[in-house]
Amino acid sequence: MNLSGVPEPRIEYAPKHYICQRAEGALSLDGRLDKPFWQKAEWTEDFVDIEGDLRPRPAKQTRVKMLWDDDYFYFGAELIEDQIWATLTERDSVIFYDNDFEIFIDPDGDTHQYYEFEINALNTVWDLLLVKPYRDGGPPVNGWDIAGLKTAVYIDGGLNRPDAENRKWSVEVAIPWKILKECAPETRAPIAGEFWRVNFSRVEWQTEVKNGEYSKVLQPETGKPFPEDNWVWSPMGIINMHYPELWGYVVFADINGPSAFVLPQDERIKWELRRLYYRQRNYYEQHGEFTKELGLLLGEDAWSISPMIETTRSLFQLTAPSTDGKTMYCIREDGKAWKE
């Protein structure tokens, strides 16, 4: 197995959460979020830099609404923007080469078998399935498409028109449960009270106007564009969206609730196991084998778990009891987490 190190995010474990209400009525997609369908949905917090407090807050506001019903998971995103542009028109292009909006969904929270969706202001989409995160060997399944996907984009201004009075662009996305449930617990849609792991990203490039058109600003020393900004709902503490364990918690609610969310203690147990996974992978990169000595991974930090470790030269499994002591949480060398 070809394993490399896994950078440990520099962040406190405090993913955002969102109470997703049931939708009322059918959605007629036009990209606008100022219609009755979205009225009862709350906005998320404004997006922050992907590294969180390590970087300045974004200069342009981004926020999202979510709803659900028996058929779809609905997303509405608003991106404040004075430079509205897009170039890519072919489905499954690498959409983040344009400014874009992205959705990430891990239904069962095991960090494997999750979904990525990207869309630009031309309403061009890229949808793919990740068998594993790239750090764990991937691969992305680019040929996977969301059957029954519905999308729309609204431009408040002018697309690819620097002379227009540009204010924002907004997106509506409806993803069918019949597709999302493929990687979900018990291969079914969620029920009220359950949560899925979700995050959003906005990619923003530095642009300037040349000959009446938008153009990416190039670095004088390299002739290549400046690195893009990555603005997200739930910060990652690292410039990498493919750490699903750091995504937000979307809690599905109905008329009976829930109306609030408190992070379950078992989620903190999973996080502490994840931190040990980072360290075990990094130990392997340095030494060519996994350590059997938990103390080398625990260091001087405080831990709430009493983990156990099993290793071979190229495999490992870390295990810790659940809060009630009735089950065990496990994580292995390729990052997959599960309960047994």
Tab-separated table of all heavy atoms in Angstrom, residues 94-144:
chain	number	residue	atom	x	y	z
A	94	VAL	N	-13.326	20.957	-15.272
A	94	VAL	CA	-12.808	21.300	-13.941
A	94	VAL	C	-13.336	22.697	-13.615
A	94	VAL	O	-12.715	23.710	-13.906
A	94	VAL	CB	-11.273	21.243	-13.910
A	94	VAL	CG1	-10.758	21.568	-12.500
A	94	VAL	CG2	-10.782	19.865	-14.339
A	95	ILE	N	-14.514	22.732	-13.009
A	95	ILE	CA	-15.262	23.976	-12.875
A	95	ILE	C	-14.536	25.005	-12.012
A	95	ILE	O	-14.681	26.215	-12.225
A	95	ILE	CB	-16.680	23.705	-12.334
A	95	ILE	CG1	-17.446	22.785	-13.307
A	95	ILE	CG2	-17.461	24.997	-12.134
A	95	ILE	CD1	-17.650	23.370	-14.682
A	96	PHE	N	-13.723	24.573	-11.057
A	96	PHE	CA	-13.060	25.556	-10.199
A	96	PHE	C	-11.954	26.331	-10.918
A	96	PHE	O	-11.328	27.213	-10.320
A	96	PHE	CB	-12.537	24.925	-8.898
A	96	PHE	CG	-11.432	23.917	-9.068
A	96	PHE	CD1	-10.128	24.310	-9.276
A	96	PHE	CD2	-11.702	22.558	-8.976
A	96	PHE	CE1	-9.104	23.391	-9.409
A	96	PHE	CE2	-10.692	21.614	-9.095
A	96	PHE	CZ	-9.388	22.033	-9.319
A	97	TYR	N	-11.708	26.047	-12.194
A	97	TYR	CA	-10.860	26.944	-12.982
A	97	TYR	C	-11.580	28.265	-13.237
A	97	TYR	O	-10.949	29.254	-13.600
A	97	TYR	CB	-10.452	26.293	-14.302
A	97	TYR	CG	-9.453	25.161	-14.154
A	97	TYR	CD1	-9.230	24.269	-15.186
A	97	TYR	CD2	-8.718	24.987	-12.975
A	97	TYR	CE1	-8.309	23.227	-15.063
A	97	TYR	CE2	-7.804	23.960	-12.845
A	97	TYR	CZ	-7.605	23.080	-13.893
A	97	TYR	OH	-6.691	22.057	-13.769
A	98	ASP	N	-12.904	28.269	-13.113
A	98	ASP	CA	-13.704	29.490	-13.050
A	98	ASP	C	-14.019	29.782	-11.580
A	98	ASP	O	-13.856	28.922	-10.713
A	98	ASP	CB	-15.049	29.308	-13.781
A	98	ASP	CG	-14.922	29.288	-15.288
A	98	ASP	OD1	-13.859	29.653	-15.825
A	98	ASP	OD2	-15.915	28.879	-15.943
A	99	ASN	N	-14.494	30.991	-11.290
A	99	ASN	CA	-15.158	31.183	-10.003
A	99	ASN	C	-16.321	30.203	-9.925
A	99	ASN	O	-17.033	29.993	-10.911
A	99	ASN	CB	-15.690	32.610	-9.882
A	99	ASN	CG	-14.597	33.634	-9.651
A	99	ASN	OD1	-13.428	33.291	-9.434
A	99	ASN	ND2	-14.963	34.901	-9.686
A	100	ASP	N	-16.535	29.608	-8.762
A	100	ASP	CA	-17.604	28.619	-8.701
A	100	ASP	C	-18.190	28.512	-7.293
A	100	ASP	O	-17.713	29.131	-6.341
A	100	ASP	CB	-17.115	27.244	-9.194
A	100	ASP	CG	-16.279	26.469	-8.165
A	100	ASP	OD1	-15.940	27.036	-7.113
A	100	ASP	OD2	-15.967	25.289	-8.419
A	101	PHE	N	-19.253	27.691	-7.190
A	101	PHE	CA	-19.859	27.309	-5.925
A	101	PHE	C	-19.857	25.788	-5.867
A	101	PHE	O	-20.174	25.122	-6.859
A	101	PHE	CB	-21.287	27.846	-5.813
A	101	PHE	CG	-22.032	27.316	-4.627
A	101	PHE	CD1	-21.698	27.734	-3.340
A	101	PHE	CD2	-23.042	26.375	-4.775
A	101	PHE	CE1	-22.363	27.223	-2.238
A	101	PHE	CE2	-23.714	25.871	-3.680
A	101	PHE	CZ	-23.370	26.298	-2.405
A	102	GLU	N	-19.512	25.225	-4.697
A	102	GLU	CA	-19.329	23.787	-4.583
A	102	GLU	C	-20.082	23.237	-3.379
A	102	GLU	O	-20.165	23.880	-2.327
A	102	GLU	CB	-17.836	23.451	-4.437
A	102	GLU	CG	-16.987	24.015	-5.568
A	102	GLU	CD	-15.494	23.752	-5.405
A	102	GLU	OE1	-15.088	23.104	-4.409
A	102	GLU	OE2	-14.730	24.194	-6.283
A	103	ILE	N	-20.587	22.005	-3.529
A	103	ILE	CA	-21.288	21.288	-2.461
A	103	ILE	C	-20.571	19.957	-2.231
A	103	ILE	O	-20.238	19.257	-3.197
A	103	ILE	CB	-22.754	21.011	-2.839
A	103	ILE	CG1	-23.496	22.308	-3.162
A	103	ILE	CG2	-23.473	20.254	-1.723
A	103	ILE	CD1	-24.877	22.078	-3.777
A	104	PHE	N	-20.362	19.610	-0.964
A	104	PHE	CA	-19.753	18.333	-0.585
A	104	PHE	C	-20.693	17.628	0.390
A	104	PHE	O	-21.146	18.241	1.360
A	104	PHE	CB	-18.391	18.548	0.074
A	104	PHE	CG	-17.370	19.197	-0.823
A	104	PHE	CD1	-17.346	20.574	-0.985
A	104	PHE	CD2	-16.433	18.433	-1.506
A	104	PHE	CE1	-16.405	21.182	-1.814
A	104	PHE	CE2	-15.499	19.032	-2.335
A	104	PHE	CZ	-15.485	20.407	-2.491
A	105	ILE	N	-20.956	16.347	0.165
A	105	ILE	CA	-21.918	15.599	0.980
A	105	ILE	C	-21.353	14.227	1.316
A	105	ILE	O	-21.029	13.439	0.431
A	105	ILE	CB	-23.265	15.413	0.244
A	105	ILE	CG1	-23.847	16.765	-0.188
A	105	ILE	CG2	-24.257	14.652	1.122
A	105	ILE	CD1	-25.086	16.634	-1.081
A	106	ASP	N	-21.245	13.937	2.632
A	106	ASP	CA	-20.886	12.601	3.095
A	106	ASP	C	-22.053	12.092	3.933
A	106	ASP	O	-22.214	12.464	5.098
A	106	ASP	CB	-19.605	12.640	3.936
A	106	ASP	CG	-19.182	11.265	4.428
A	106	ASP	OD1	-19.803	10.264	4.009
A	106	ASP	OD2	-18.238	11.181	5.243
A	107	PRO	N	-22.900	11.227	3.367
A	107	PRO	CA	-24.124	10.838	4.069
A	107	PRO	C	-23.902	10.109	5.390
A	107	PRO	O	-24.656	10.323	6.345
A	107	PRO	CB	-24.829	9.929	3.055
A	107	PRO	CG	-24.307	10.348	1.724
A	107	PRO	CD	-22.879	10.696	1.982
A	108	ASP	N	-22.897	9.226	5.471
A	108	ASP	CA	-22.760	8.402	6.669
A	108	ASP	C	-21.587	8.786	7.562
A	108	ASP	O	-21.354	8.163	8.601
A	108	ASP	CB	-22.669	6.917	6.309
A	108	ASP	CG	-21.477	6.595	5.418
A	108	ASP	OD1	-20.652	7.500	5.171
A	108	ASP	OD2	-21.370	5.441	4.976
A	109	GLY	N	-20.827	9.808	7.170
A	109	GLY	CA	-19.775	10.310	8.037
A	109	GLY	C	-18.575	9.408	8.195
A	109	GLY	O	-17.789	9.587	9.135
A	110	ASP	N	-18.375	8.453	7.287
A	110	ASP	CA	-17.210	7.568	7.410
A	110	ASP	C	-16.011	8.076	6.618
A	110	ASP	O	-14.956	7.439	6.607
A	110	ASP	CB	-17.557	6.141	6.994
A	110	ASP	CG	-17.830	5.988	5.498
A	110	ASP	OD1	-17.884	7.014	4.771
A	110	ASP	OD2	-18.007	4.834	5.042
A	111	THR	N	-16.171	9.207	5.929
A	111	THR	CA	-15.181	9.901	5.083
A	111	THR	C	-14.911	9.195	3.766
A	111	THR	O	-14.104	9.680	2.972
A	111	THR	CB	-13.839	10.173	5.799
A	111	THR	OG1	-13.056	8.978	5.886
A	111	THR	CG2	-14.043	10.809	7.158
A	112	HIS	N	-15.577	8.086	3.493
A	112	HIS	CA	-15.463	7.402	2.202
A	112	HIS	C	-16.814	7.493	1.477
A	112	HIS	O	-17.847	7.760	2.097
A	112	HIS	CB	-15.079	5.937	2.393
A	112	HIS	CG	-13.646	5.735	2.782
A	112	HIS	ND1	-12.978	4.546	2.600
A	112	HIS	CD2	-12.736	6.574	3.327
A	112	HIS	CE1	-11.730	4.646	3.021
A	112	HIS	NE2	-11.565	5.873	3.477
A	113	GLN	N	-16.787	7.269	0.161
A	113	GLN	CA	-18.024	7.260	-0.628
A	113	GLN	C	-18.831	8.543	-0.397
A	113	GLN	O	-19.896	8.532	0.216
A	113	GLN	CB	-18.870	6.031	-0.268
A	113	GLN	CG	-18.174	4.706	-0.426
A	113	GLN	CD	-18.018	4.255	-1.867
A	113	GLN	OE1	-18.635	4.804	-2.779
A	113	GLN	NE2	-17.195	3.255	-2.108
A	114	TYR	N	-18.277	9.658	-0.893
A	114	TYR	CA	-18.972	10.936	-0.724
A	114	TYR	C	-19.064	11.656	-2.063
A	114	TYR	O	-18.444	11.265	-3.057
A	114	TYR	CB	-18.292	11.788	0.338
A	114	TYR	CG	-16.862	12.210	0.043
A	114	TYR	CD1	-16.570	13.366	-0.678
A	114	TYR	CD2	-15.788	11.460	0.543
A	114	TYR	CE1	-15.267	13.752	-0.925
A	114	TYR	CE2	-14.473	11.845	0.305
A	114	TYR	CZ	-14.216	13.003	-0.428
A	114	TYR	OH	-12.916	13.377	-0.666
A	115	TYR	N	-19.857	12.733	-2.060
A	115	TYR	CA	-20.214	13.415	-3.300
A	115	TYR	C	-19.633	14.828	-3.346
A	115	TYR	O	-19.555	15.516	-2.322
A	115	TYR	CB	-21.733	13.520	-3.435
A	115	TYR	CG	-22.470	12.219	-3.266
A	115	TYR	CD1	-23.291	11.998	-2.157
A	115	TYR	CD2	-22.361	11.200	-4.204
A	115	TYR	CE1	-23.984	10.815	-1.998
A	115	TYR	CE2	-23.056	10.009	-4.056
A	115	TYR	CZ	-23.870	9.812	-2.946
A	115	TYR	OH	-24.543	8.636	-2.793
A	116	GLU	N	-19.268	15.237	-4.562
A	116	GLU	CA	-18.822	16.608	-4.809
A	116	GLU	C	-19.584	17.162	-6.007
A	116	GLU	O	-19.775	16.463	-7.003
A	116	GLU	CB	-17.314	16.647	-5.080
A	116	GLU	CG	-16.779	18.038	-5.366
A	116	GLU	CD	-15.263	18.062	-5.558
A	116	GLU	OE1	-14.614	17.008	-5.367
A	116	GLU	OE2	-14.736	19.136	-5.907
A	117	PHE	N	-19.995	18.414	-5.884
A	117	PHE	CA	-20.752	19.079	-6.948
A	117	PHE	C	-20.215	20.498	-7.091
A	117	PHE	O	-20.020	21.198	-6.098
A	117	PHE	CB	-22.236	19.117	-6.575
A	117	PHE	CG	-23.079	19.997	-7.465
A	117	PHE	CD1	-23.654	19.493	-8.625
A	117	PHE	CD2	-23.285	21.333	-7.152
A	117	PHE	CE1	-24.418	20.303	-9.443
A	117	PHE	CE2	-24.042	22.152	-7.968
A	117	PHE	CZ	-24.614	21.636	-9.109
A	118	GLU	N	-19.975	20.922	-8.339
A	118	GLU	CA	-19.487	22.273	-8.599
A	118	GLU	C	-20.315	22.900	-9.711
A	118	GLU	O	-20.745	22.211	-10.648
A	118	GLU	CB	-18.005	22.261	-9.002
A	118	GLU	CG	-17.103	21.598	-7.962
A	118	GLU	CD	-15.620	21.699	-8.302
A	118	GLU	OE1	-15.266	22.390	-9.287
A	118	GLU	OE2	-14.808	21.094	-7.572
A	119	ILE	N	-20.524	24.226	-9.620
A	119	ILE	CA	-21.307	24.930	-10.624
A	119	ILE	C	-20.731	26.325	-10.813
A	119	ILE	O	-20.272	26.954	-9.845
A	119	ILE	CB	-22.803	24.991	-10.216
A	119	ILE	CG1	-23.669	25.552	-11.338
A	119	ILE	CG2	-22.993	25.762	-8.909
A	119	ILE	CD1	-25.169	25.368	-11.088
A	120	ASN	N	-20.726	26.807	-12.059
A	120	ASN	CA	-20.266	28.170	-12.329
A	120	ASN	C	-21.454	29.037	-12.721
A	120	ASN	O	-22.615	28.593	-12.740
A	120	ASN	CB	-19.157	28.190	-13.390
A	120	ASN	CG	-19.631	27.739	-14.770
A	120	ASN	OD1	-20.825	27.542	-15.021
A	120	ASN	ND2	-18.685	27.578	-15.696
A	121	ALA	N	-21.168	30.286	-13.054
A	121	ALA	CA	-22.238	31.238	-13.356
A	121	ALA	C	-22.889	30.977	-14.704
A	121	ALA	O	-23.921	31.599	-15.025
A	121	ALA	CB	-21.703	32.670	-13.299
A	122	LEU	N	-22.339	30.081	-15.512
A	122	LEU	CA	-22.964	29.657	-16.765
A	122	LEU	C	-23.903	28.463	-16.550
A	122	LEU	O	-24.430	27.920	-17.509
A	122	LEU	CB	-21.894	29.283	-17.790
A	122	LEU	CG	-21.264	30.435	-18.575
A	122	LEU	CD1	-20.002	29.968	-19.291
A	122	LEU	CD2	-22.257	31.008	-19.582
A	123	ASN	N	-24.061	28.047	-15.301
A	123	ASN	CA	-24.869	26.865	-14.959
A	123	ASN	C	-24.258	25.584	-15.526
A	123	ASN	O	-24.965	24.627	-15.849
A	123	ASN	CB	-26.320	27.028	-15.440
A	123	ASN	CG	-27.278	26.059	-14.765
A	123	ASN	OD1	-27.011	25.571	-13.666
A	123	ASN	ND2	-28.385	25.760	-15.417
A	124	THR	N	-22.931	25.564	-15.658
A	124	THR	CA	-22.217	24.351	-16.036
A	124	THR	C	-21.828	23.616	-14.765
A	124	THR	O	-21.337	24.234	-13.815
A	124	THR	CB	-20.953	24.685	-16.844
A	124	THR	OG1	-21.287	25.559	-17.925
A	124	THR	CG2	-20.312	23.427	-17.388
A	125	VAL	N	-22.038	22.298	-14.749
A	125	VAL	CA	-21.813	21.549	-13.511
A	125	VAL	C	-20.748	20.475	-13.693
A	125	VAL	O	-20.487	19.998	-14.797
A	125	VAL	CB	-23.121	20.893	-13.010
A	125	VAL	CG1	-24.210	21.930	-12.828
A	125	VAL	CG2	-23.578	19.772	-13.929
A	126	TRP	N	-20.150	20.140	-12.569
A	126	TRP	CA	-19.226	19.005	-12.455
A	126	TRP	C	-19.680	18.211	-11.242
A	126	TRP	O	-19.679	18.713	-10.119
A	126	TRP	CB	-17.805	19.509	-12.267
A	126	TRP	CG	-16.743	18.435	-12.187
A	126	TRP	CD1	-16.842	17.137	-12.592
A	126	TRP	CD2	-15.409	18.595	-11.676
A	126	TRP	NE1	-15.662	16.472	-12.377
A	126	TRP	CE2	-14.764	17.340	-11.823
A	126	TRP	CE3	-14.707	19.663	-11.136
A	126	TRP	CZ2	-13.440	17.139	-11.418
A	126	TRP	CZ3	-13.394	19.453	-10.739
A	126	TRP	CH2	-12.765	18.216	-10.884
A	127	ASP	N	-20.125	16.985	-11.454
A	127	ASP	CA	-20.552	16.131	-10.351
A	127	ASP	C	-19.698	14.874	-10.349
A	127	ASP	O	-19.466	14.256	-11.387
A	127	ASP	CB	-22.047	15.805	-10.429
A	127	ASP	CG	-22.518	15.378	-11.813
A	127	ASP	OD1	-21.685	15.281	-12.734
A	127	ASP	OD2	-23.733	15.145	-11.979
A	128	LEU	N	-19.216	14.502	-9.180
A	128	LEU	CA	-18.352	13.337	-9.096
A	128	LEU	C	-18.514	12.652	-7.745
A	128	LEU	O	-18.953	13.251	-6.758
A	128	LEU	CB	-16.892	13.690	-9.345
A	128	LEU	CG	-16.182	14.690	-8.431
A	128	LEU	CD1	-14.671	14.518	-8.556
A	128	LEU	CD2	-16.527	16.129	-8.796
A	129	LEU	N	-18.172	11.382	-7.753
A	129	LEU	CA	-18.212	10.545	-6.566
A	129	LEU	C	-16.777	10.257	-6.152
A	129	LEU	O	-15.947	9.875	-6.985
A	129	LEU	CB	-18.947	9.240	-6.874
A	129	LEU	CG	-18.871	8.120	-5.840
A	129	LEU	CD1	-19.641	8.493	-4.580
A	129	LEU	CD2	-19.420	6.817	-6.420
A	130	LEU	N	-16.469	10.466	-4.878
A	130	LEU	CA	-15.151	10.132	-4.349
A	130	LEU	C	-15.238	8.814	-3.592
A	130	LEU	O	-15.968	8.706	-2.605
A	130	LEU	CB	-14.644	11.234	-3.414
A	130	LEU	CG	-13.967	12.461	-4.039
A	130	LEU	CD1	-12.672	12.100	-4.736
A	130	LEU	CD2	-14.903	13.222	-4.935
A	131	VAL	N	-14.507	7.810	-4.063
A	131	VAL	CA	-14.462	6.527	-3.363
A	131	VAL	C	-13.779	6.705	-2.007
A	131	VAL	O	-14.223	6.176	-0.988
A	131	VAL	CB	-13.732	5.476	-4.206
A	131	VAL	CG1	-13.601	4.156	-3.449
A	131	VAL	CG2	-14.470	5.257	-5.527
A	132	LYS	N	-12.699	7.468	-2.001
A	132	LYS	CA	-11.967	7.841	-0.794
A	132	LYS	C	-11.431	9.252	-1.006
A	132	LYS	O	-11.276	9.690	-2.146
A	132	LYS	CB	-10.765	6.917	-0.541
A	132	LYS	CG	-11.053	5.444	-0.426
A	132	LYS	CD	-9.733	4.681	-0.261
A	132	LYS	CE	-9.932	3.179	-0.253
A	132	LYS	NZ	-8.635	2.466	-0.121
A	133	PRO	N	-11.079	9.958	0.063
A	133	PRO	CA	-10.360	11.220	-0.123
A	133	PRO	C	-9.040	10.981	-0.855
A	133	PRO	O	-8.469	9.882	-0.806
A	133	PRO	CB	-10.108	11.699	1.316
A	133	PRO	CG	-11.145	11.018	2.139
A	133	PRO	CD	-11.358	9.677	1.485
A	134	TYR	N	-8.556	12.032	-1.508
A	134	TYR	CA	-7.305	11.900	-2.253
A	134	TYR	C	-6.158	11.458	-1.351
A	134	TYR	O	-5.283	10.695	-1.773
A	134	TYR	CB	-6.964	13.234	-2.924
A	134	TYR	CG	-7.969	13.637	-3.979
A	134	TYR	CD1	-8.912	14.638	-3.725
A	134	TYR	CD2	-7.990	13.010	-5.220
A	134	TYR	CE1	-9.843	15.007	-4.683
A	134	TYR	CE2	-8.921	13.376	-6.188
A	134	TYR	CZ	-9.853	14.372	-5.914
A	134	TYR	OH	-10.776	14.715	-6.865
A	135	ARG	N	-6.148	11.905	-0.092
A	135	ARG	CA	-5.075	11.533	0.836
A	135	ARG	C	-5.025	10.027	1.068
A	135	ARG	O	-3.981	9.489	1.464
A	135	ARG	CB	-5.298	12.245	2.181
A	135	ARG	CG	-6.526	11.724	2.913
A	135	ARG	CD	-6.933	12.512	4.118
A	135	ARG	NE	-8.127	11.893	4.715
A	135	ARG	CZ	-8.920	12.495	5.579
A	135	ARG	NH1	-8.668	13.736	5.960
A	135	ARG	NH2	-9.961	11.856	6.078
A	136	ASP	N	-6.161	9.362	0.856
A	136	ASP	CA	-6.273	7.921	1.099
A	136	ASP	C	-6.263	7.118	-0.195
A	136	ASP	O	-6.577	5.929	-0.187
A	136	ASP	CB	-7.543	7.626	1.896
A	136	ASP	CG	-7.536	8.297	3.257
A	136	ASP	OD1	-6.504	8.223	3.946
A	136	ASP	OD2	-8.554	8.906	3.635
A	137	GLY	N	-5.940	7.768	-1.289
A	137	GLY	CA	-5.812	7.055	-2.554
A	137	GLY	C	-6.920	7.268	-3.549
A	137	GLY	O	-6.887	6.710	-4.646
A	138	GLY	N	-7.962	8.041	-3.163
A	138	GLY	CA	-9.040	8.297	-4.109
A	138	GLY	C	-9.724	6.985	-4.501
A	138	GLY	O	-9.865	6.100	-3.670
A	139	PRO	N	-10.136	6.851	-5.750
A	139	PRO	CA	-10.069	7.842	-6.814
A	139	PRO	C	-11.396	8.579	-6.991
A	139	PRO	O	-12.428	8.118	-6.489
A	139	PRO	CB	-9.807	6.964	-8.054
A	139	PRO	CG	-10.600	5.722	-7.756
A	139	PRO	CD	-10.520	5.522	-6.261
A	140	PRO	N	-11.395	9.712	-7.711
A	140	PRO	CA	-12.666	10.332	-8.082
A	140	PRO	C	-13.287	9.599	-9.264
A	140	PRO	O	-12.587	9.161	-10.175
A	140	PRO	CB	-12.247	11.757	-8.485
A	140	PRO	CG	-10.846	11.609	-8.976
A	140	PRO	CD	-10.228	10.474	-8.181
A	141	VAL	N	-14.589	9.449	-9.234
A	141	VAL	CA	-15.306	8.806	-10.338
A	141	VAL	C	-15.973	9.918	-11.138
A	141	VAL	O	-17.097	10.348	-10.847
A	141	VAL	CB	-16.335	7.787	-9.810
A	141	VAL	CG1	-17.023	7.085	-10.984
A	141	VAL	CG2	-15.666	6.765	-8.893
A	142	ASN	N	-15.272	10.400	-12.155
A	142	ASN	CA	-15.779	11.526	-12.942
A	142	ASN	C	-16.962	11.134	-13.811
A	142	ASN	O	-17.776	11.988	-14.172
A	142	ASN	CB	-14.663	12.114	-13.814
A	142	ASN	CG	-13.701	12.966	-13.013
A	142	ASN	OD1	-14.106	13.865	-12.289
A	142	ASN	ND2	-12.423	12.682	-13.134
A	143	GLY	N	-17.059	9.854	-14.164
A	143	GLY	CA	-18.163	9.421	-15.008
A	143	GLY	C	-19.487	9.308	-14.285
A	143	GLY	O	-20.522	9.089	-14.915
A	144	TRP	N	-19.461	9.468	-12.968
A	144	TRP	CA	-20.688	9.401	-12.168
A	144	TRP	C	-21.472	10.682	-12.345
A	144	TRP	O	-20.919	11.790	-12.226
A	144	TRP	CB	-20.324	9.188	-10.708
A	144	TRP	CG	-21.477	9.174	-9.759
A	144	TRP	CD1	-22.272	8.112	-9.447
A	144	TRP	CD2	-21.967	10.275	-8.979
A	144	TRP	NE1	-23.222	8.483	-8.510
A	144	TRP	CE2	-23.052	9.804	-8.218
A	144	TRP	CE3	-21.597	11.613	-8.852
A	144	TRP	CZ2	-23.769	10.613	-7.339
A	144	TRP	CZ3	-22.306	12.428	-7.987
A	144	TRP	CH2	-23.379	11.923	-7.240
